[in-house]
Structure formats: C-alpha cells, structure tokens
Amino acid sequence: MNNPAGVAPRQLGFWMCVALVVGNIIGSGIFLLPASLAPYGLNSIWAWLFTSAGAIALAMVFGGLSRALPGACGPYDYARQAFGPMPAFLVIWGYWLSNCVTVAAISSALVSYLSHLLPWITASRTTSILLTLAFVWLLTVVNIVNMRSAGKIQVATAVLKVIPLLAIVGLGLYLAATGSPMLGTARLASTTFDINAVTAAATLTLFALCGMESASVASDKVHDAERTIMRATLTGTVLAALIYVIASSTVMMLVPSDQLAKSNAPFADVAALFWGPGVAQWFAFFAAISCFGALNGWILVNGQLGLQLARNGLFPQAFTRETAAGTPVVAIVTSSIVGSILVLVSSGESIVAVFTFLVLLSTTAVLFMYLLCSLAVFVLLRRGAVARSRFATSLAIAGAIGSLLSLWAIAGAGISIDPAICNGSLFCWTPWKSNPVYLGFFLLALGVPVYYAMRARRTVALGA
C-alpha cells in the first residue's frame, strides 16, 4: 500500500523501528493473560517458549521478505506477489478485522484492571459492559476530533506500560537467583505435560506476541529498509519475548492456579503479595494506563489502515472521507462499531472469559496473514524472486517454522478445557457455535463477497 501522492515519507531509523515493534507487541495482552493461562499450569510456560521461538521465526519471515522485496509494502504486497490479489485482500481483510477484535479485547482488559482500583465496576455485568463501550467511544471521539491529541496520549503511555512488567521481571530474576521457596516451581512441575494443553495455550501466548510485523508494514517509511527492518524486527521481537516469558512465568509461579484464574489483575496481585496493597494499586493503575494507550493506538492504526485500503481501491471510497483536520472519520467509526458489537455479543461472560474468547478470535484472524506470508517465502523462492543464497536458506527455514506455528496455533484456538463442554474430559474440540476457529474463518470468508463487490465497482468505474 503506497503513500498518498505528494506526501513525503518519514524516515525511521533502527531504534525507532525497534520501538515500533516492541511498542506494538507490548499492549494489553500480557497484563491479563496469566489469568487466562492459569488452567494450563506448566504447559503454558512451554507454550510461551515455543511461541516465542516461533515469533522470532515469523520476525525473520517479515524482515527477510522486506529485504528480498525492497519495493513491497508489507504483508499485503508479500501475499499479492506470491498468491495474487484475492488472497492478498483476504490477508489484509483478516488483519483489519483482527484489529477490530483487538479493540474489543483491550477495552475488556482495561476495565478488568480498573476493577482492581474500583471494585464496584464488576458488581454488575451491565456496568462493566457500558464502561467498556464508553472507553472505546471516548478514544474514538479523541481520534476523530484531534489526531494530534491521540498521538500525545500514545507517547504519554508508551513508557508507563513497561514499568510493571520490568518490576515483575526483576522480582522473578531475584527470586530465582536466591532460590526463594516462594516460587511455586514444585507446584507447577507437578503439572502433567500435555501437548493438547500446550497447543491450546499457544494461541493465547501468540496473541501477546502479535505485532512483530509492524516495521514491515511501515517499510516505505524506513531508512535503509533492506537492512533496518530485518535487524529491528528480530531485536524488538526478542526483547518483547524475553520480558513476556519471564514476567508471565513469575506471576504463574507465585500465584496458585485456582486463585490466578479468578483474578482480574494478576500483576497487581503479585505486587500486593510482595510490596503491599498500596503498590498493588499503582500496578493496576499502570496496567490500566497501558491498556488505555494500546486501545488508543489500535483505534488510530485501524482508522489509518481502513483509509489506506480505501485509497488502494480495496475498501469503499467512503472510508477515504476525512474531517477538516485530516481524520479518516468513517474508517475510525466503522472499526469502533465492529469492536463494540463484539463486546456486546460476548457480554454474558466474565471479564476474563470475554478477554480469552476475543484473544482467540483475534489471533485466529491474524494467523491467516502469518500463514500466507510464511508460505509466500516458498512461492517466491521457487519463482526466483528471492535470490538463492545462505540468506535464502535461513529464510526458507523461518518460513517453514512460521507456517507450522501458524497452523498449530489455529488448531489450538479450537481446543477447550471446560469440563462442562467436554463432558468431563480434560480436552475436546469446542462446539462450532462458540469455536474461535470456525468464527475466525467465517470472518475471513465475509471478505470474499466484499472483494468481488469492490472489484465489480472498480470495473464499472473504469468502464465509465
């Protein structure tokens, strides 16, 4: 997707791209994920390790393709050059929908952490749902009225989001170095290794690592993109993965699984355990601020994404409508409406249950993009679009790992551990009505008529 004519691209250097990758990976997911992962015990830590390795492979895919195809603009162009316009459209359609789902998931996580500060929020399901929608539309209005203010919110929350994570990372490393008995290593070690549990947990952990493609999406604005994107993508992904694995594992080793599964603020619970309720309040506050910033960022990004899609003829031209301040009002409002509908559809469950379901649905949609970009490596190698070299061999290995990880995580999204659903069994395939895999592919399938409708409209326009 190209820049509008006459707009000079901004030049992003290595550290700016690293910050972009780390900032987009570290959002709201990590702050509530320990509660979602609690039922899996030690298996979730294995999932973190596997998906972190897989995310690094995916980072190599996006970085490698940007290096091999210097004229391409991110995942859309990679898929288009390998598979043609329709699969490429479905890739970017799934990515846009995934971002809409992410808006719903982040707003749920934001309310969850606020409930630690204001317990009355969770006293009524109606109250929590209304507050969730209020945050979505507050930031929607901010983005529409003044995008500069939205940018300032993003900058202000960028540093605050890592404070609780780094504190927990430091605590975990200290306790491990001193051999503290407070770490429940024996309790977690008693968990039986089960590949089904690891598979189910992997989809959740991969959600937290989504965003490693950020630098490649902005490739037309990166200085020396062929070298910078590869290095920045790998560096940012490794840094985020290290923080995630250590922080999440520390929480799970300190809080019993049954207690953790019911927690609306896992990191704040750990802070209360070691530093008292006062510090715990601050942890909940910082986590809520992180969610607030991430929600603002995804609303902003999805509005811009819808605008660019419309400018390239992939979305209705109404999405190009802008305010006097240059805000893509239709694109922003549409994505927020979709996110709000998803919040309302899942309003009958607890906050953690809502967050978990939305995470699975969002990840399933974006995994389609990861899968096609990984497979694109082999198509482009076969066509000679990527030069045969030692670099090409490494890229092929990364493509194979990325493809397998994507398929594995898609399968994991459909696994349930709820005894009520599984008729007493430990694991089962979730019924189709509530299965994120089926719902995710249904959302992708909705893109097929949209694609043909847009193609017909372009044909009519050209004929006129």
Side-chain angles (χ1 to χ4, degrees):
M1 292 177 285
N2 300 320
N3 290 328
V7 178
R10 297 180 180 179
Q11 298 300 305
L12 303 177
F14 171 74
W15 288 111
M16 285 293 293
C17 286
V18 170
L20 180 64
V21 173
V22 173
N24 279 11
I25 289 177
I26 299 178
S28 66
I30 185 60
F31 292 106
L32 203 55
L33 264 183
S36 300
L37 292 169
Y40 303 103
L42 183 63
N43 289 300
S44 65
I45 297 180
W46 283 111
W48 272 117
L49 295 175
F50 289 151
T51 53
S52 294
I56 293 171
L58 285 169
M60 290 184 64
V61 167
F62 288 109
L65 288 175
S66 70
R67 177 179 171 183
L69 305 170
C73 293
Y76 173 75
D77 273 353
Y78 305 154
R80 182 181 58 81
Q81 292 191 35
F83 302 109
M86 182 175 176
F89 173 79
L90 291 180
V91 160
I92 209 67
W93 166 263
Y95 189 55
W96 181 80
L97 281 178
S98 174
N99 291 348
C100 292
V101 179
T102 298
V103 165
I106 292 175
S107 58
S108 297
L110 169 57
V111 171
S112 180
Y113 263 91
L114 280 180
S115 70
H116 194 85
L117 299 169
L118 305 169
W120 56 266
I121 290 175
T122 52
S124 166
R125 209 44 210 125
T126 300
T127 301
S128 61
I129 288 296
L130 290 176
L131 190 59
T132 301
L133 294 174
F135 278 117
V136 171
W137 287 100
L138 168 65
L139 289 173
T140 298
V141 171
V142 169
N143 275 271
I144 291 173
V145 173
N146 191 338
M147 193 165 289
R148 185 177 180 84
S149 296
K152 289 180 179 179
I153 290 174
Q154 200 64 16
V155 172
T157 59
V159 177
L160 293 176
K161 70 169 61 179
V162 300
I163 292 177
L165 294 179
L166 292 179
I168 296 298
V169 166
L171 174 64
L173 292 175
Y174 170 77
L175 293 175
T178 57
S180 173
M182 296 191 70
L183 289 175
T185 51
R187 170 173 49 81
L188 284 179
S190 64
T191 304
T192 303
F193 178 85
D194 190 302
I195 189 61
N196 290 320
V198 176
T199 301
T203 307
L204 293 169
T205 57
L206 188 59
F207 169 80
L209 292 166
C210 288
M212 80 281 291
E213 73 280 356
S214 300
S216 66
V217 172
S219 60
D220 59 338
K221 298 182 180 180
V222 177
H223 175 70
D224 192 14
E226 292 184 39
R227 295 178 64 252
T228 301
I229 291 178
M230 168 70 89
R231 293 164 53 229
T233 300
L234 285 173
T235 302
T237 303
V238 170
L239 286 175
L242 282 173
I243 293 173
Y244 273 6
V245 171
I246 297 173
S248 181
S249 299
T250 298
V251 172
M252 298 193 70
M253 287 190 289
L254 289 172
V255 182
S257 297
D258 55 346
Q259 178 183 338
L260 187 59
K262 300 174 183 177
S263 173
N264 284 331
F267 283 82
D269 289 346
V270 171
L273 180 64
F274 282 88
W275 300 304
V279 175
Q281 297 292 325
W282 280 105
F283 264 67
F285 172 75
F286 283 129
I289 288 295
S290 175
C291 296
F292 188 78
L295 178 60
N296 174 72
W298 281 111
I299 290 174
L300 188 155
V301 165
N302 225 25
Q304 293 300 311
L305 178 60
L307 174 65
Q308 291 298 325
L309 288 171
R311 283 175 172 168
N312 283 273
L314 300 173
F315 267 20
Q317 285 303 297
F319 278 63
T320 63
R321 189 176 303 160
E322 298 179 273
T323 65
T327 301
V329 58
V330 175
I332 291 176
V333 169
T334 302
S335 65
S336 293
I337 288 174
V338 175
S340 298
I341 291 172
L342 289 167
V343 170
L344 291 172
V345 166
S346 55
S347 62
E349 302 291 338
S350 68
I351 292 178
V352 172
V354 169
F355 177 80
T356 302
F357 175 78
L358 292 174
V359 163
L360 291 172
L361 183 58
S362 173
T363 309
T364 302
V366 80
L367 280 170
F368 185 71
M369 179 187 77
Y370 289 167
L371 177 61
L372 252 65
C373 287
S374 297
L375 293 175
V377 169
F378 301 102
V379 176
L380 295 173
L381 279 171
R382 187 187 64 192
R383 292 180 184 171
V386 177
R388 298 281 178 179
S389 63
R390 184 178 301 176
F391 161 73
T393 301
S394 300
L395 184 58
I397 294 172
I401 295 173
S403 300
L404 292 173
L405 174 71
S406 300
L407 289 170
W408 182 49
I410 289 172
I415 294 176
S416 174
I417 63 167
D418 188 342
I421 293 176
C422 300
N423 295 321
S425 300
L426 292 176
F427 302 97
C428 67
W429 188 248
T430 306
W432 69 272
K433 289 184 179 180
S434 57
N435 194 310
V437 175
Y438 296 142
L439 293 175
F441 277 98
F442 173 73
L443 291 178
L444 289 175
L446 290 177
V448 175
V450 174
Y451 170 78
Y452 282 110
M454 292 307 303
R455 191 174 73 167
R457 180 174 295 185
R458 288 197 301 272
T459 301
V460 170
L462 289 174

